[in-house]
Amino acid sequence: MPDFLHRTGLVPYGTSAFASRYRSKYALVDGETELPAGLCGSGVRGPVMTYGGSSVSVMVERSPFNEESFRRPARALVTYRTP
C-alpha cells in the first residue's frame, strides 16, 4: 500500500505513509464498516485512514493495534473524480 500511495503522488517518495500531513483519520472505529452508496460487496473496516488529491481519494484499512501500520491484508477503496 505505501508503494501505491507513493506512485500515485498522494504521499511523496521518502515520506512515511503515516505522516499526518498527507493523511487523515476517518470516522470509523474498530470493526465498523462502510461502503459508499451504489457499491456492493464488503466495505472497508475501521479504523481507516484517507489520502486525497485533486482527482483521487483513497481509503485504507489501518491496523487496530498500531497507528503506524496497515491491516494485513489491507483493503482499500479508491474513488476517482472526473471533471
Side-chain angles (χ1 to χ4, degrees):
M1 187 52 62
D3 185 52
F4 171 78
L5 295 170
H6 293 307
R7 285 185 288 129
T8 58
L10 295 171
V11 177
Y13 282 101
T15 304
S16 169
F18 299 96
S20 61
R21 181 175 182 185
Y22 303 104
R23 54 99 179 142
S24 60
K25 294 181 180 176
Y26 190 77
L28 279 179
V29 297
D30 188 24
E32 283 188 332
T33 63
E34 183 168 327
L35 192 61
L39 294 180
C40 59
S42 60
V44 293
R45 290 179 293 152
V48 174
M49 312 252 308
T50 60
Y51 301 84
S54 60
S55 61
V56 66
S57 174
V58 179
M59 185 182 293
V60 185
E61 296 175 326
R62 182 183 59 79
S63 168
F65 308 110
N66 180 357
E67 290 192 19
E68 296 291 317
S69 65
F70 293 113
R71 217 179 264 275
R72 295 193 188 264
R75 288 183 287 180
L77 181 62
V78 180
T79 306
Y80 295 96
R81 292 183 279 290
T82 57

